[in-house]
Amino acid sequence: MEVNIKYIFTVILILAFAVKINAQELSQKPIPIELVLGNNRLGLQSSINKNLPESKRFSFFSVTNFESDYSQNSNGLDFINISQISFELYKGFGISSGGNINKVTGLSPTLGLQYVFANPKWLFVVTPNLIFTNGNT
């Protein structure tokens, strides 16, 4: 009987997220996570937008995107993370600074603007950024 690693990994990943989601306290806002499974690749995306404790003007914003094929090598691996601390200037508009990491340029500092609109059904974020690299692109 041949065991397919792709299916075992998928089941473990789904169970891990189910346990994590059930373990969160009800008073916390959920963190949206998307898992996309295809016949050749899988994708995972997560976004976080939270006010910092004891602050109404400072917030943390992060988007992580991970994609990989089902092989056991890193050639098909893609990872991008953008994390920023923002300061709200006026009703959703603010400035932000943070870091961007990916497999091409590595870790790079960022500076930008941010607009956030959030309600219980929608999270809309626009963040035009300058990403400072050493010419590795």
Side-chain angles (χ1 to χ4, degrees), residues 20-105:
K20 178 67 176 170
I21 290 169
N22 288 335
Q24 288 183 348
E25 293 181 23
L26 295 177
S27 63
Q28 292 180 344
K29 293 180 183 177
I31 297 173
I33 297 174
E34 292 180 41
L35 174 64
V36 179
L37 302 172
N39 61 335
N40 295 324
R41 293 178 64 83
L42 68 88
L44 180 69
Q45 180 171 324
S46 173
S47 60
I48 300 170
N49 185 37
K50 302 245 179 210
N51 285 339
L52 295 179
E54 307 298 325
S55 175
K56 292 186 179 193
R57 298 185 82 179
F58 282 99
S59 63
F60 175 75
F61 176 72
S62 178
V63 174
T64 301
N65 188 2
F66 169 80
E67 292 184 15
S68 177
D69 55 25
Y70 295 112
S71 66
Q72 293 182 346
N73 63 48
S74 62
N75 293 336
L77 181 73
D78 292 312
F79 174 82
I80 299 172
N81 176 272
I82 300 168
S83 297
Q84 299 177 325
I85 300 290
S86 301
F87 179 76
E88 183 179 41
L89 298 171
Y90 180 77
K91 294 186 181 180
F93 291 95
I95 56 175
S96 62
S97 179
N100 176 29
I101 187 166
N102 63 60
K103 76 176 194 176
V104 176
T105 60

Coordinates of all heavy atoms in Angstrom, one line a residue, residues 20-105:
K20 N -6.6 25.1 16.0 CA -6.2 26.4 16.3 C -7.4 27.3 16.4 O -7.6 28.2 17.2 CB -5.1 26.9 15.3 CG -4.7 28.4 15.6 CD -3.9 28.5 16.8 CE -3.4 29.9 17.0 NZ -2.9 30.2 18.2
I21 N -8.3 27.2 15.4 CA -9.5 28.0 15.3 C -10.4 27.8 16.5 O -10.9 28.7 17.1 CB -10.2 27.8 14.0 CG1 -9.4 28.4 12.8 CG2 -11.6 28.4 14.0 CD1 -9.8 28.0 11.5
N22 N -10.6 26.5 16.9 CA -11.4 26.2 18.0 C -10.8 26.7 19.4 O -11.5 26.9 20.3 CB -11.7 24.7 18.1 CG -12.7 24.3 17.0 OD1 -13.4 25.1 16.5 ND2 -12.6 23.1 16.6
A23 N -9.5 26.8 19.4 CA -8.8 27.2 20.7 C -8.8 28.7 20.9 O -8.6 29.1 22.0 CB -7.4 26.7 20.6
Q24 N -9.2 29.5 19.9 CA -9.2 30.9 20.1 C -10.4 31.3 21.0 O -11.4 30.7 21.0 CB -9.4 31.7 18.8 CG -8.1 31.6 18.0 CD -8.3 32.4 16.7 OE1 -9.4 32.8 16.4 NE2 -7.3 32.7 16.0
E25 N -10.1 32.4 21.9 CA -11.2 32.9 22.7 C -12.2 33.6 21.8 O -11.9 34.2 20.8 CB -10.6 33.9 23.7 CG -9.7 33.2 24.7 CD -9.2 34.3 25.7 OE1 -9.8 35.3 25.9 OE2 -8.1 34.0 26.3
L26 N -13.5 33.5 22.2 CA -14.5 34.2 21.4 C -14.4 35.7 21.4 O -14.9 36.3 20.5 CB -15.9 33.7 22.0 CG -16.2 32.2 21.8 CD1 -17.5 31.9 22.4 CD2 -16.2 31.8 20.4
S27 N -13.8 36.3 22.4 CA -13.7 37.7 22.5 C -12.6 38.3 21.5 O -12.6 39.4 21.2 CB -13.3 38.2 23.9 OG -12.0 37.7 24.2
Q28 N -11.7 37.4 21.0 CA -10.7 37.9 20.0 C -11.3 37.9 18.6 O -12.2 37.1 18.2 CB -9.5 36.9 20.0 CG -8.7 37.0 21.2 CD -7.5 36.0 21.1 OE1 -7.5 35.1 20.3 NE2 -6.6 36.1 22.0
K29 N -10.9 38.9 17.8 CA -11.3 38.9 16.4 C -10.5 37.8 15.7 O -9.4 37.5 15.9 CB -10.9 40.2 15.8 CG -11.7 41.4 16.3 CD -11.3 42.7 15.7 CE -12.0 43.8 16.3 NZ -11.6 45.1 15.7
P30 N -11.2 37.1 14.7 CA -10.5 36.0 14.0 C -9.5 36.5 13.1 O -9.5 37.7 12.6 CB -11.7 35.3 13.3 CG -12.7 36.4 13.1 CD -12.6 37.3 14.3
I31 N -8.5 35.7 12.8 CA -7.5 36.0 11.8 C -7.8 35.2 10.5 O -7.8 34.0 10.6 CB -6.1 35.6 12.3 CG1 -5.7 36.5 13.5 CG2 -5.0 35.8 11.2 CD1 -4.4 36.1 14.2
P32 N -8.1 35.9 9.4 CA -8.5 35.2 8.2 C -7.3 34.4 7.6 O -6.3 34.9 7.5 CB -9.0 36.3 7.3 CG -8.7 37.6 7.9 CD -8.2 37.3 9.3
I33 N -7.6 33.1 7.3 CA -6.6 32.3 6.7 C -7.3 31.6 5.5 O -8.3 31.0 5.7 CB -6.1 31.2 7.7 CG1 -5.3 31.9 8.8 CG2 -5.1 30.2 7.0 CD1 -4.9 31.0 9.9
E34 N -6.6 31.6 4.4 CA -7.1 30.9 3.2 C -6.2 29.8 2.9 O -5.0 30.0 2.8 CB -7.1 31.9 2.0 CG -8.1 33.0 2.0 CD -8.1 33.8 0.8 OE1 -7.9 33.3 -0.3 OE2 -8.1 35.0 0.9
L35 N -6.7 28.6 2.6 CA -6.0 27.5 2.2 C -6.6 27.0 0.8 O -7.8 26.8 0.7 CB -6.1 26.3 3.2 CG -5.4 25.0 2.8 CD1 -3.9 25.2 2.6 CD2 -5.7 23.9 3.8
V36 N -5.7 27.0 -0.2 CA -6.1 26.6 -1.5 C -5.3 25.4 -1.9 O -4.1 25.4 -2.0 CB -5.9 27.7 -2.5 CG1 -6.4 27.3 -3.9 CG2 -6.7 29.0 -2.1
L37 N -6.0 24.3 -2.3 CA -5.4 23.1 -2.7 C -5.7 22.8 -4.2 O -6.8 22.9 -4.6 CB -5.9 21.9 -1.8 CG -5.7 22.0 -0.3 CD1 -6.4 20.9 0.4 CD2 -4.2 22.0 0.0
G38 N -4.6 22.6 -4.9 CA -4.8 22.3 -6.3 C -4.2 20.9 -6.7 O -3.6 20.2 -5.8
N39 N -4.3 20.5 -7.9 CA -3.7 19.3 -8.3 C -2.2 19.3 -8.3 O -1.5 18.3 -8.2 CB -4.3 18.8 -9.6 CG -3.9 19.7 -10.8 OD1 -3.7 20.9 -10.5 ND2 -3.9 19.2 -12.0
N40 N -1.5 20.5 -8.5 CA -0.1 20.6 -8.5 C 0.5 21.4 -7.4 O 1.7 21.2 -7.1 CB 0.4 21.2 -9.9 CG 0.0 20.3 -11.0 OD1 0.1 19.1 -11.0 ND2 -0.4 21.0 -12.1
R41 N -0.2 22.3 -6.8 CA 0.3 23.2 -5.8 C -0.7 23.5 -4.7 O -1.9 23.2 -4.9 CB 0.7 24.6 -6.4 CG 1.8 24.5 -7.4 CD 2.1 25.8 -8.1 NE 2.5 26.9 -7.2 CZ 3.8 27.1 -6.8 NH1 4.7 26.2 -7.2 NH2 4.1 28.1 -6.0
L42 N -0.2 24.0 -3.6 CA -1.1 24.5 -2.5 C -0.7 25.9 -2.2 O 0.4 26.3 -2.4 CB -1.0 23.6 -1.3 CG 0.3 23.6 -0.4 CD1 0.2 24.6 0.6 CD2 0.4 22.2 0.2
G43 N -1.7 26.6 -1.7 CA -1.4 28.0 -1.3 C -2.0 28.3 0.0 O -3.1 27.7 0.4
L44 N -1.4 29.2 0.8 CA -1.9 29.6 2.1 C -1.7 31.1 2.2 O -0.6 31.6 1.9 CB -1.1 28.9 3.2 CG -1.4 29.1 4.6 CD1 -2.8 28.5 4.9 CD2 -0.3 28.5 5.5
Q45 N -2.7 31.8 2.6 CA -2.6 33.3 2.8 C -3.3 33.6 4.1 O -4.3 33.1 4.5 CB -3.2 34.0 1.7 CG -3.1 35.5 1.8 CD -3.6 36.3 0.6 OE1 -3.3 35.9 -0.5 NE2 -4.2 37.4 0.8
S46 N -2.6 34.6 4.8 CA -3.1 35.0 6.1 C -2.9 36.5 6.1 O -1.9 37.1 5.6 CB -2.4 34.4 7.2 OG -2.7 35.0 8.5
S47 N -3.9 37.3 6.7 CA -3.8 38.7 6.9 C -4.2 39.1 8.3 O -5.2 38.5 8.8 CB -4.6 39.5 5.8 OG -6.0 39.1 6.0
I48 N -3.4 40.0 8.9 CA -3.7 40.5 10.2 C -3.7 42.0 10.2 O -2.9 42.6 9.6 CB -2.5 40.0 11.2 CG1 -2.4 38.5 11.2 CG2 -2.8 40.6 12.6 CD1 -1.2 38.0 11.9
N49 N -4.7 42.5 10.8 CA -4.8 44.0 11.0 C -5.3 44.2 12.4 O -6.5 44.1 12.7 CB -5.8 44.6 10.0 CG -5.8 46.1 10.1 OD1 -4.7 46.7 10.3 ND2 -6.9 46.7 9.9
K50 N -4.5 44.6 13.3 CA -4.8 44.7 14.8 C -4.3 46.0 15.3 O -3.1 46.4 15.0 CB -4.2 43.6 15.6 CG -4.7 42.2 15.1 CD -5.5 41.6 16.2 CE -5.9 40.2 15.7 NZ -7.1 39.8 16.2
N51 N -5.1 46.7 16.1 CA -4.6 47.9 16.9 C -3.6 47.3 18.0 O -3.9 46.3 18.6 CB -5.7 48.6 17.5 CG -6.5 49.5 16.5 OD1 -6.0 49.8 15.4 ND2 -7.7 49.8 16.8
L52 N -2.6 48.1 18.2 CA -1.7 47.7 19.3 C -2.3 48.0 20.6 O -3.2 48.9 20.8 CB -0.4 48.5 19.2 CG 0.5 48.3 17.9 CD1 1.7 49.1 17.9 CD2 0.8 46.8 17.8
P53 N -2.0 47.2 21.6 CA -2.7 47.3 22.9 C -2.5 48.8 23.5 O -1.4 49.4 23.3 CB -1.9 46.3 23.8 CG -1.3 45.3 22.9 CD -1.1 46.1 21.6
E54 N -3.5 49.3 24.1 CA -3.5 50.6 24.7 C -3.3 51.7 23.7 O -2.9 52.8 24.1 CB -2.5 50.7 25.8 CG -2.6 49.6 26.9 CD -3.9 49.6 27.6 OE1 -4.4 50.7 27.9 OE2 -4.4 48.5 28.0
S55 N -3.6 51.5 22.4 CA -3.4 52.5 21.4 C -4.5 52.5 20.4 O -4.9 51.4 20.0 CB -2.1 52.4 20.7 OG -1.9 53.3 19.7
K56 N -5.0 53.7 20.1 CA -6.1 53.7 19.1 C -5.5 54.2 17.7 O -6.1 54.1 16.7 CB -7.2 54.7 19.5 CG -8.0 54.1 20.7 CD -9.1 55.0 21.0 CE -9.9 54.4 22.2 NZ -11.2 55.0 22.4
R57 N -4.2 54.7 17.7 CA -3.7 55.3 16.5 C -2.6 54.4 15.9 O -2.3 54.5 14.7 CB -3.1 56.6 16.8 CG -4.3 57.6 17.2 CD -3.8 59.0 17.4 NE -3.8 59.6 16.1 CZ -3.4 60.9 15.9 NH1 -3.1 61.6 16.9 NH2 -3.4 61.3 14.7
F58 N -2.0 53.5 16.7 CA -0.9 52.6 16.2 C -1.5 51.2 15.9 O -2.3 50.7 16.7 CB 0.2 52.4 17.2 CG 1.2 53.6 17.2 CD1 1.1 54.6 18.2 CD2 2.2 53.7 16.3 CE1 2.0 55.6 18.2 CE2 3.1 54.8 16.3 CZ 3.0 55.7 17.2
S59 N -1.2 50.6 14.8 CA -1.7 49.3 14.5 C -0.6 48.5 13.8 O 0.4 49.0 13.3 CB -2.9 49.4 13.6 OG -2.6 50.0 12.3
F60 N -0.8 47.2 13.8 CA 0.1 46.2 13.1 C -0.7 45.6 12.0 O -1.8 45.2 12.1 CB 0.5 45.1 14.1 CG 1.3 44.0 13.5 CD1 2.6 44.3 13.1 CD2 0.7 42.8 13.2 CE1 3.4 43.3 12.5 CE2 1.5 41.8 12.6 CZ 2.8 42.0 12.3
F61 N -0.1 45.6 10.8 CA -0.7 45.0 9.6 C 0.3 44.0 9.0 O 1.5 44.3 8.8 CB -1.1 46.0 8.6 CG -1.6 45.5 7.3 CD1 -2.8 44.9 7.2 CD2 -0.8 45.5 6.1 CE1 -3.3 44.3 6.1 CE2 -1.3 45.0 5.0 CZ -2.6 44.4 4.9
S62 N -0.1 42.8 8.6 CA 0.7 41.8 8.0 C 0.0 40.9 7.0 O -1.2 40.5 7.3 CB 1.3 40.9 9.1 OG 2.2 39.9 8.6
V63 N 0.6 40.7 5.9 CA 0.0 39.7 4.9 C 1.1 38.7 4.6 O 2.3 39.1 4.3 CB -0.4 40.4 3.6 CG1 -0.8 39.4 2.6 CG2 -1.5 41.4 3.9
T64 N 0.8 37.4 4.7 CA 1.7 36.4 4.4 C 1.1 35.5 3.3 O 0.0 35.1 3.4 CB 2.0 35.5 5.7 OG1 2.5 36.3 6.7 CG2 3.0 34.4 5.4
N65 N 1.9 35.2 2.3 CA 1.5 34.4 1.2 C 2.5 33.3 1.0 O 3.7 33.6 0.9 CB 1.3 35.2 -0.1 CG 0.6 34.4 -1.2 OD1 0.3 33.3 -1.0 ND2 0.5 35.0 -2.3
F66 N 2.1 32.0 1.0 CA 3.0 30.9 0.9 C 2.4 30.0 -0.2 O 1.2 29.7 -0.2 CB 3.0 30.1 2.2 CG 3.7 28.8 2.1 CD1 5.1 28.7 2.0 CD2 3.0 27.6 2.0 CE1 5.7 27.5 1.9 CE2 3.6 26.4 1.8 CZ 5.0 26.3 1.8
E67 N 3.2 29.6 -1.2 CA 2.8 28.6 -2.2 C 3.9 27.6 -2.4 O 5.1 27.9 -2.3 CB 2.5 29.3 -3.5 CG 1.3 30.2 -3.5 CD 1.0 30.8 -4.8 OE1 1.5 30.4 -5.8 OE2 0.2 31.8 -4.8
S68 N 3.5 26.4 -2.7 CA 4.5 25.3 -2.9 C 3.8 24.2 -3.7 O 2.6 24.0 -3.7 CB 4.9 24.7 -1.6 OG 5.8 23.7 -1.8
D69 N 4.7 23.6 -4.5 CA 4.2 22.3 -5.1 C 4.3 21.2 -4.1 O 4.8 21.4 -3.0 CB 4.9 22.0 -6.5 CG 6.5 22.0 -6.3 OD1 6.9 21.7 -5.2 OD2 7.2 22.2 -7.3
Y70 N 3.9 20.0 -4.5 CA 3.9 18.9 -3.5 C 5.2 18.1 -3.5 O 5.3 17.1 -2.8 CB 2.7 18.0 -3.8 CG 1.4 18.7 -3.7 CD1 0.6 18.9 -4.8 CD2 0.9 19.0 -2.4 CE1 -0.7 19.5 -4.6 CE2 -0.3 19.7 -2.2 CZ -1.1 19.9 -3.3 OH -2.3 20.5 -3.2
S71 N 6.2 18.6 -4.1 CA 7.5 17.9 -4.1 C 8.2 18.2 -2.8 O 7.9 19.2 -2.1 CB 8.4 18.3 -5.3 OG 8.7 19.6 -5.2
Q72 N 9.3 17.5 -2.5 CA 10.0 17.7 -1.3 C 11.3 18.4 -1.6 O 12.4 18.1 -1.1 CB 10.3 16.3 -0.6 CG 9.1 15.7 -0.1 CD 9.4 14.4 0.6 OE1 10.5 13.8 0.5 NE2 8.4 13.9 1.3
N73 N 11.3 19.5 -2.4 CA 12.4 20.3 -2.6 C 11.9 21.8 -2.6 O 10.8 22.1 -2.7 CB 13.2 20.0 -3.9 CG 12.3 20.2 -5.1 OD1 11.7 21.2 -5.3 ND2 12.3 19.2 -6.0
S74 N 12.9 22.7 -2.5 CA 12.5 24.1 -2.4 C 12.4 24.8 -3.7 O 12.1 26.0 -3.7 CB 13.5 24.8 -1.5 OG 14.8 24.7 -2.1
N75 N 12.5 24.2 -4.8 CA 12.5 24.8 -6.1 C 11.1 25.4 -6.4 O 10.9 26.4 -7.0 CB 12.8 23.9 -7.3 CG 14.3 23.5 -7.2 OD1 15.1 24.2 -6.6 ND2 14.6 22.4 -7.8
G76 N 10.0 24.7 -5.9 CA 8.7 25.2 -6.2 C 8.1 26.0 -5.0 O 6.9 26.2 -5.0
L77 N 8.9 26.5 -4.1 CA 8.5 27.2 -2.9 C 8.5 28.7 -3.1 O 9.5 29.3 -3.6 CB 9.4 26.9 -1.8 CG 9.2 27.5 -0.4 CD1 7.9 26.8 0.2 CD2 10.3 27.3 0.5
D78 N 7.4 29.4 -2.8 CA 7.3 30.8 -2.9 C 6.7 31.3 -1.6 O 5.7 30.8 -1.1 CB 6.3 31.2 -4.0 CG 6.9 30.9 -5.4 OD1 8.1 31.2 -5.6 OD2 6.1 30.4 -6.2
F79 N 7.4 32.3 -1.0 CA 7.0 32.9 0.3 C 7.2 34.4 0.2 O 8.2 34.9 -0.2 CB 7.8 32.3 1.4 CG 7.6 32.9 2.7 CD1 6.5 32.5 3.5 CD2 8.4 34.0 3.2 CE1 6.3 33.1 4.8 CE2 8.1 34.6 4.4 CZ 7.1 34.1 5.2
I80 N 6.1 35.1 0.6 CA 6.2 36.6 0.7 C 5.5 37.0 2.0 O 4.4 36.5 2.4 CB 5.5 37.3 -0.4 CG1 6.1 36.9 -1.7 CG2 5.5 38.8 -0.2 CD1 5.4 37.4 -3.0
N81 N 6.2 37.9 2.8 CA 5.5 38.5 4.0 C 5.8 40.0 4.0 O 6.9 40.4 3.8 CB 6.1 37.8 5.3 CG 5.5 38.5 6.5 OD1 6.0 39.5 7.0 ND2 4.4 38.0 7.0
I82 N 4.8 40.7 4.3 CA 4.8 42.2 4.4 C 4.3 42.5 5.8 O 3.1 42.1 6.1 CB 4.1 42.9 3.4 CG1 4.6 42.6 2.0 CG2 4.1 44.4 3.6 CD1 3.8 43.1 0.8
S83 N 5.1 43.0 6.7 CA 4.6 43.4 8.0 C 5.0 44.9 8.3 O 6.1 45.3 8.0 CB 5.3 42.5 9.1 OG 4.9 41.2 8.9
Q84 N 4.0 45.6 8.8 CA 4.2 47.0 9.0 C 3.5 47.5 10.3 O 2.5 47.0 10.7 CB 3.6 47.8 7.9 CG 4.2 47.5 6.6 CD 3.5 48.2 5.4 OE1 2.3 48.5 5.4 NE2 4.3 48.6 4.4
I85 N 4.1 48.5 10.9 CA 3.5 49.3 12.0 C 3.0 50.6 11.4 O 3.7 51.2 10.7 CB 4.5 49.6 13.1 CG1 5.1 48.3 13.7 CG2 3.9 50.5 14.2 CD1 4.1 47.5 14.5
S86 N 1.7 50.9 11.7 CA 1.1 52.1 11.1 C 0.7 53.1 12.2 O 0.3 52.7 13.3 CB -0.1 51.7 10.2 OG 0.3 50.8 9.2
F87 N 0.7 54.3 11.8 CA 0.2 55.4 12.6 C -0.9 56.1 11.9 O -0.7 56.6 10.8 CB 1.3 56.4 13.0 CG 0.9 57.5 13.8 CD1 0.7 57.3 15.2 CD2 0.7 58.8 13.3 CE1 0.2 58.4 16.0 CE2 0.3 59.8 14.1 CZ 0.0 59.6 15.5
E88 N -2.1 56.1 12.5 CA -3.3 56.7 11.8 C -3.2 58.2 12.0 O -3.2 58.7 13.2 CB -4.6 56.1 12.4 CG -5.8 56.7 11.8 CD -7.1 56.1 12.3 OE1 -7.2 55.9 13.6 OE2 -8.0 55.8 11.5
L89 N -3.3 58.9 10.9 CA -3.3 60.4 10.9 C -4.7 60.9 11.0 O -5.0 61.8 11.8 CB -2.6 60.9 9.7 CG -1.1 60.6 9.6 CD1 -0.6 61.0 8.2 CD2 -0.3 61.2 10.7
Y90 N -5.6 60.3 10.2 CA -7.0 60.8 10.2 C -7.9 59.7 9.6 O -7.8 59.3 8.4 CB -7.1 62.0 9.3 CG -8.5 62.6 9.2 CD1 -9.0 63.3 10.2 CD2 -9.2 62.4 8.0 CE1 -10.3 63.9 10.1 CE2 -10.5 63.0 7.9 CZ -11.0 63.7 9.0 OH -12.3 64.2 8.9
K91 N -8.9 59.2 10.4 CA -9.9 58.3 10.0 C -9.5 57.3 8.9 O -10.0 57.3 7.8 CB -11.1 59.1 9.5 CG -11.8 59.9 10.5 CD -13.1 60.6 10.0 CE -13.7 61.4 11.1 NZ -14.9 62.1 10.7
G92 N -8.7 56.4 9.2 CA -8.3 55.3 8.4 C -7.0 55.6 7.5 O -6.4 54.7 7.0
F93 N -6.6 56.8 7.4 CA -5.5 57.2 6.6 C -4.3 57.3 7.6 O -4.4 57.9 8.6 CB -5.7 58.5 5.9 CG -6.7 58.5 4.8 CD1 -8.0 58.8 5.0 CD2 -6.3 58.1 3.5 CE1 -8.9 58.7 4.0 CE2 -7.2 58.0 2.5 CZ -8.5 58.3 2.7
G94 N -3.1 56.8 7.1 CA -1.9 56.8 8.0 C -0.7 56.6 7.2 O -0.7 56.4 6.0
I95 N 0.4 56.6 8.0 CA 1.8 56.2 7.4 C 2.2 54.9 8.0 O 1.8 54.5 9.1 CB 2.8 57.4 7.7 CG1 2.8 57.6 9.2 CG2 2.4 58.6 7.0 CD1 3.9 58.6 9.6
S96 N 3.1 54.2 7.3 CA 3.5 52.9 7.8 C 5.0 52.7 7.5 O 5.5 53.3 6.6 CB 2.6 51.8 7.1 OG 2.8 51.8 5.7
S97 N 5.5 51.8 8.3 CA 6.9 51.4 8.1 C 7.1 50.0 8.6 O 6.4 49.6 9.6 CB 7.8 52.3 8.9 OG 9.2 51.9 8.8
G98 N 7.9 49.2 7.9 CA 8.1 47.8 8.3 C 9.1 47.1 7.5 O 10.1 47.6 7.0
G99 N 8.7 45.8 7.2 CA 9.6 45.0 6.4 C 8.9 44.1 5.4 O 7.7 43.8 5.6
N100 N 9.6 43.7 4.4 CA 9.1 42.9 3.3 C 10.2 41.7 3.2 O 11.4 42.0 3.2 CB 9.0 43.6 2.0 CG 8.6 42.8 0.9 OD1 7.9 41.8 1.0 ND2 9.0 43.2 -0.3
I101 N 9.7 40.5 3.2 CA 10.6 39.4 3.0 C 10.1 38.5 1.9 O 8.9 38.2 1.9 CB 10.9 38.6 4.3 CG1 12.0 37.6 4.2 CG2 9.6 38.0 4.9 CD1 12.5 37.0 5.5
N102 N 11.0 38.0 1.0 CA 10.7 37.1 0.0 C 12.0 36.4 -0.4 O 13.0 36.7 0.0 CB 10.0 37.8 -1.2 CG 10.8 38.8 -1.9 OD1 11.9 38.5 -2.4 ND2 10.4 40.0 -1.9
K103 N 11.8 35.4 -1.3 CA 13.0 34.6 -1.6 C 13.9 35.2 -2.7 O 15.0 34.8 -2.8 CB 12.6 33.2 -2.1 CG 12.0 33.1 -3.5 CD 11.7 31.7 -3.9 CE 11.5 31.6 -5.4 NZ 11.3 30.2 -5.8
V104 N 13.5 36.3 -3.3 CA 14.3 37.0 -4.3 C 15.2 38.0 -3.6 O 16.4 38.0 -3.8 CB 13.5 37.6 -5.4 CG1 14.4 38.4 -6.4 CG2 12.7 36.6 -6.1
T105 N 14.6 38.9 -2.8 CA 15.4 40.0 -2.3 C 15.7 39.9 -0.8 O 16.5 40.7 -0.2 CB 14.7 41.4 -2.4 OG1 13.4 41.3 -1.8 CG2 14.4 41.7 -3.9

